[in-house]
């Protein structure tokens, strides 16, 4: 993801000359950038620091304690919500990765009528405001549950299933984008070579194509997993009463009262996100 | 839906009919699950709110199947809703402009570092973006609260407390903080592609630094600026978490009204909420098209 495509040496030389000439400009830029990094990291540092404070209002650093982390373990609601979040993230990641990979193959390897429309349909979930999508899904579920009840008499309710369905609808597009990128740099002659050597389509896919695009698929899956773990808005509107997810639980606790316990759970969530980023960076480095 | 299909690598061979049919079947198999999911769980829900937006709200929060345009009329005539649109767009605009002004110099600085530093600095911008939005917003709550970090520091040096939380300023800070990486990345990418010798050329031809920047560098890095602005603007206008947590009930944005219309208000009003969401999407699309048109004109 972060790949500095270094340009020609000539540019660096010119830039260096310009830099010497306008030293104070660089200094100003450096100062600005330093302030920006402080702006970016100060809240995170404060958040982590105050998860260890003994002050129960979380306003002062009165002493050091691990007790807030201990209390997390006693909060059954929070733990239940964490398991729900994990379940949703795992199921939706697996399904959206499979569906998205298939779709990426179709979009990259075939020309067909309506391809541009499918492309548009794929990009819409990325650009549409999340809250509009969330409300539309809420309305859709209520609407179709009403119809189902009228026809079959069965009463369906919003639950983890509706959250999973919604997360998949949201994640497919992101998986497709990432997997398509890995298919673009793919040398198709390798597949032709395999087929010339007598491999059928199935063997060619599993022995040649799949291993080569695997880093892209893993990248897409990690993205889908992170999006699902972090999602608040869509989960908030598509979950049922009584089924909470971690971000929703944090939101409702924050609305009630600010305590260092929320800092503790936030710090843990922070650690998980960072581990995932580290993992995806590692996978991408393996690719090179 | 797919009637003609041919693998990209090979030329379609008309004599091999069975092969063509098999390819078509394969394409259908690849496309079907995703297409099905996106149509049923993405396109159809949008159709449902389009339908709802023309129906009548019932007294218990239900929907009455009677066609009406009242929802749209209410949106454009009641101050509460008109103001929410104007305020949200305004907050979105301010957030985007401030992000742009602080992200551009930062991106420029990163580009001018050595490759190793560049990767590290860029990575450091990305990390906060990978953390949960709610967590980031909560961090600002502790900083800005009445007995929060800033006020504690102020008191420690003998200054009076300030009301920082539950203000428009707090909402703006939270939004800028949350969206900044979205602005830095595209701008970084386009500055990285920019040929700095062009600035030399401009100054050799007698242009001042400021002029060279405005007439050469800015237009050529405009694609990044445009992409970043849209990436920041869209989620900002639709926010309800940041305005809810940092603005209290005082800073009502579209997202807050939408949330209330669908879940909180007594009774809920889904038809009006649906109309509001659709108009919001439309306004946003028009704003973005308009923006891209003006920025590409500047390109020439």
């Amino acid at each position: 993801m972060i790949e500095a495509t270094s340009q020609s040496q000539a540019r660096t030389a010119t830039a260096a000359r310009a830099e010497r000439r306008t030293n104070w400009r660089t200094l100003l830029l450096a100062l600005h950038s330093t302030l920006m990094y402080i702006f970016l990291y100060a809240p995170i540092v404060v958040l982590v620091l105050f998860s260890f404070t003994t002050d129960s209002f979380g306003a002062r650093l009165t002493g050091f304690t691990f007790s807030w982390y201990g209390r997390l373990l006693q909060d059954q609601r929070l733990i239940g919500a964490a398991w729900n979040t994990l379940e949703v993230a795992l199921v939706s990641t697996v399904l959206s990765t499979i569906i998205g990979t298939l779709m990426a193959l179709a979009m990259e390897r075939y020309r067909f009528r309506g391809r541009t429309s499918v492309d548009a349909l794929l990009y819409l979930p990325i650009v549409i405001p999340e809250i509009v999508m969330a409300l539309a899904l809420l309305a859709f579920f209520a609407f179709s549950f009403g119809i189902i009840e009228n026809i079959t008499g069965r009463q369906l309710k919003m639950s983890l299933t509706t959250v999973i369905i919604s997360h998949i609808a949201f994640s497919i597009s992101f998986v497709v984008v990432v997997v398509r990128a890995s298919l673009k740099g793919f040398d198709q002659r390798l597949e032709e070579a395999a087929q010339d050597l007598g491999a059928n389509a199935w063997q060619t896919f599993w022995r040649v194509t799949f291993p080569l695009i695997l880093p892209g698929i893993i990248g897409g899956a990690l993205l889908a997993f992170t999006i699902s773990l972090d999602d608040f808005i869509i989960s908030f509107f598509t979950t049922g009463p009584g089924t909470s997810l971690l971000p929703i639980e944090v939101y409702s606790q924050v609305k009630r009262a600010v305590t260092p316990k929320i800092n503790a759970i936030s710090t843990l969530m922070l650690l998980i996100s960072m581990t995932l980023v580290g993992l995806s960076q590692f996978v991408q480095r393996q690719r090179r | 839906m797919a009637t003609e299909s041919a693998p990209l690598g090979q030329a379609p061979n008309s004599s091999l009919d069975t092969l063509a049919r098999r390819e078509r079947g394969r394409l259908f198999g690849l496309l079907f699950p995703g297409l099905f999911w996106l149509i049923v769980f993405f396109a159809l829900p949008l159709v449902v709110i389009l339908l709802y937006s023309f129906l009548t709200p019932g007294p218990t929060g239900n929907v009455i199947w009677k066609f009406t345009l009242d929802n749209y009329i209410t949106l454009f005539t009641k101050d509460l809703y008109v103001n929410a649109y104007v305020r949200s767009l305004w907050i979105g605009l301010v957030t985007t402009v401030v992000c742009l002004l602080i992200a551009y110099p930062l991106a420029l600085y990163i580009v001018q570092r050595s490759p190793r530093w560049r990767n590290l600095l860029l990575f450091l911008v990305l990390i906060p973006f990978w953390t949960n939005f709610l967590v980031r917003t909560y961090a600002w709550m502790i900083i800005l609260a009445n007995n929060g970090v800033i006020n504690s520091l102020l008191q420690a040096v003998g200054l009076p407390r300030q009301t920082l939380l539950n203000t428009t300023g707090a909402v703006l800070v939270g939004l800028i903080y949350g969206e900044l990486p979205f602005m830095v990345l595209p701008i970084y990418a386009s500055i990285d592609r920019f040929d700095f010798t062009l600035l030399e050329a401009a100054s050799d031809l007698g242009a001042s630094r400021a002029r060279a920047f405005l007439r050469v560098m800015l237009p050529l890095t405009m694609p990044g600026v445009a992409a970043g602005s849209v990436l920041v603007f869209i989620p900002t206008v639709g926010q309800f978490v940041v305005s809810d947590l940092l603005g209290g009930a005082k800073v009502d944005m579209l997202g807050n009204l939408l949330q209330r219309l669908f879940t909180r208000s007594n009774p809920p009003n889904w038809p009006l909420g649906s109309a509001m969401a659709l108009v919001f999407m439309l306004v946003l699309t028009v704003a973005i098209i308009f923006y891209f048109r003006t920025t590409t004109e500047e390109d020439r």
Side-chain angles (χ1 to χ4, degrees):
Chain A
M1 185 155 202
I2 43 157
E3 206 174 332
T5 45
S6 69
Q7 275 220 331
S8 59
Q9 299 296 86
R11 196 198 72 186
T12 329
T14 330
R17 216 179 328 132
E19 248 169 68
R20 236 170 291 129
R21 202 154 22 111
T22 56
N23 235 330
W24 63 272
R25 275 205 185 85
T26 318
L27 211 67
L28 215 61
L29 273 184
L31 184 70
H32 170 81
S33 303
T34 312
L35 288 176
M36 281 299 101
Y37 282 105
I38 293 174
F39 174 63
L40 283 173
Y41 282 90
I44 296 177
V45 172
V46 166
L47 187 79
V48 175
L49 220 54
F50 279 79
S51 72
F52 298 111
T53 184
T54 47
D55 177 25
S56 55
F57 295 108
R60 287 205 182 93
L61 289 171
T62 43
F64 184 90
T65 175
F66 271 118
S67 69
W68 302 108
Y69 289 89
R71 287 198 201 185
L72 289 181
L73 295 174
Q74 291 155 14
D75 190 332
Q76 288 307 321
R77 280 185 64 93
L78 210 61
I79 290 172
W83 281 116
N84 284 343
T85 305
L86 197 63
E87 186 188 330
V88 168
L90 282 175
V91 177
S92 67
T93 300
V94 169
L95 287 175
S96 62
T97 305
I98 294 171
I99 295 171
T101 303
L102 294 180
M103 219 172 169
L105 281 165
M107 296 304 285
E108 275 309 302
R109 292 294 168 78
Y110 293 87
R111 294 268 175 271
F112 52 89
R113 209 185 290 162
R115 190 168 173 270
T116 19
S117 318
V118 179
D119 233 354
L121 187 64
L122 271 171
Y123 280 106
L124 263 179
I126 300 179
V127 292
I128 217 173
E130 214 183 334
I131 191 165
V132 174
M133 189 169 168
L135 293 174
L137 280 161
L138 169 64
F140 167 78
F141 284 127
F143 182 76
S144 43
F145 287 176
I147 292 176
I148 290 171
E149 199 186 337
N150 272 340
I151 296 172
T152 65
R154 274 189 63 194
Q155 219 180 354
L156 294 175
K157 280 212 178 80
M158 307 279 268
S159 61
L160 278 194
T161 314
T162 47
V163 179
I164 291 172
I165 288 174
S166 311
H167 278 205
I168 295 171
F170 189 61
S171 303
I172 288 176
S173 304
F174 288 94
V175 175
V176 172
V177 168
V178 177
V179 177
R180 273 178 89 167
S182 75
L183 277 166
K184 280 212 174 82
F186 187 91
D187 188 354
Q188 286 209 339
R189 284 173 304 181
L190 291 171
E191 288 178 342
E192 284 161 29
Q195 280 176 336
D196 287 346
L197 291 170
N200 62 30
W202 188 251
Q203 288 168 324
T204 310
F205 178 77
W206 285 111
R207 301 264 179 88
V208 179
T209 318
F210 182 73
L212 282 169
I213 62 169
L214 188 61
I217 296 175
I218 294 175
L222 279 170
L223 187 60
F225 192 71
T226 322
I227 289 173
S228 177
L229 273 191
D230 280 352
D231 174 72
F232 170 72
I233 296 182
I234 288 184
S235 313
F236 184 76
F237 287 107
T238 55
T239 190
T243 18
S244 192
L245 287 115
L246 200 51
I248 298 172
E249 194 55 36
V250 170
Y251 176 75
S252 63
Q253 293 207 3
V254 167
K255 293 284 280 182
R256 251 178 280 140
V258 172
T259 69
K261 201 174 107 186
I262 303 170
N263 292 47
I265 185 70
S266 299
T267 304
L268 291 181
M269 287 164 78
L270 214 76
L271 273 177
I272 292 167
S273 301
M274 298 217 179
T275 313
L276 284 173
V277 183
L279 214 61
S280 72
Q281 286 296 312
F282 179 73
V283 170
Q284 276 178 346
R285 199 149 297 169
Q286 296 295 94
R287 196 147 114 202
R288 264 172 257 148
Chain B
M1 62 146 296
T3 45
E4 303 161 46
S5 65
L8 277 184
Q10 298 148 245
N13 196 331
S14 52
S15 65
L16 294 171
D17 215 26
T18 44
L19 186 73
R21 206 175 307 136
R22 195 184 300 161
E23 282 297 336
R24 215 176 295 156
R26 212 170 274 161
L27 170 64
F28 182 76
L30 291 175
L31 214 49
F32 180 75
L35 214 51
F36 171 81
W37 211 281
L38 286 174
I39 288 174
V40 175
F41 298 117
F42 177 70
L44 222 54
L46 291 179
V47 175
V48 170
I49 57 169
L50 181 65
L51 181 71
Y52 273 6
S53 74
F54 291 108
L55 298 178
T56 312
T60 57
N62 56 335
V63 177
I64 296 168
W65 284 80
K66 212 179 97 195
F67 178 85
T68 176
L69 284 174
D70 282 356
N71 302 314
Y72 288 96
I73 294 168
T74 311
L75 278 188
F76 288 109
T77 50
K78 264 204 176 164
D79 279 352
L80 174 67
Y81 302 110
V82 177
N83 287 345
Y85 275 105
V86 173
R87 191 182 301 117
S88 297
L89 290 173
W90 174 244
I91 288 180
L93 192 70
V94 174
T95 307
T96 310
V97 170
V98 175
C99 275
L100 181 59
L101 289 179
I102 60 181
Y104 202 102
L106 178 61
L108 181 62
Y109 180 78
I110 299 176
V111 170
Q112 290 175 343
R113 295 309 96 198
S114 68
R116 212 165 47 111
W117 274 101
R118 231 185 288 173
N119 277 338
L120 179 70
L121 289 174
L122 209 56
F123 192 54
L124 284 176
V125 172
L126 269 176
I127 290 177
F129 148 77
W130 279 89
T131 61
N132 193 295
F133 202 88
L134 207 62
V135 167
R136 282 183 277 164
T137 309
Y138 171 68
W140 280 103
M141 274 179 85
I142 357 174
I143 294 175
L144 299 174
N146 273 341
N147 55 357
V149 178
I150 290 183
N151 274 324
S152 300
L153 289 176
L154 284 179
Q155 273 191 315
V157 294
L159 288 167
R161 286 185 177 196
Q162 306 287 321
T163 309
L164 301 165
L165 200 62
N166 300 339
T167 60
T168 311
V171 175
L172 283 173
V173 169
L175 287 171
I176 292 164
Y177 183 73
E179 306 295 341
L180 188 60
F182 287 108
M183 188 64 97
V184 176
L185 284 184
I187 293 182
Y188 169 84
S190 65
I191 296 182
D192 189 45
R193 258 176 271 130
F194 177 71
D195 182 0
F196 278 85
T197 53
L198 288 175
L199 284 183
E200 300 276 302
S203 72
D204 285 349
L205 292 170
S208 66
R209 287 285 296 207
R211 202 174 152 80
F213 174 75
L214 285 175
R215 299 298 296 270
V216 180
M217 190 167 172
L218 192 59
L220 283 172
T221 51
M222 212 32 147
V225 171
S229 304
V230 170
L231 284 178
V232 170
F233 189 70
I234 296 178
T236 304
V237 181
Q239 256 309 317
F240 85 90
V241 180
V242 175
S243 44
D244 192 29
L245 293 183
L246 298 178
K250 285 182 193 140
V251 190
D252 253 348
M253 289 178 71
L254 272 177
N256 306 86
L257 280 180
L258 279 172
Q259 186 214 354
R260 250 176 276 153
L261 282 174
F262 269 87
T263 57
R264 286 240 201 100
S265 61
N266 204 10
N269 188 339
W270 287 24
L272 184 60
S274 299
M276 194 166 182
L278 286 172
V279 171
F280 167 45
M281 230 168 76
L282 215 66
V283 169
L284 217 53
T285 313
V286 170
I288 288 161
I289 290 173
F290 177 76
Y291 181 74
F292 267 117
R293 192 160 291 174
T294 43
T295 48
T296 42
E297 262 165 28
E298 274 170 40
D299 246 349
R300 275 155 220 160

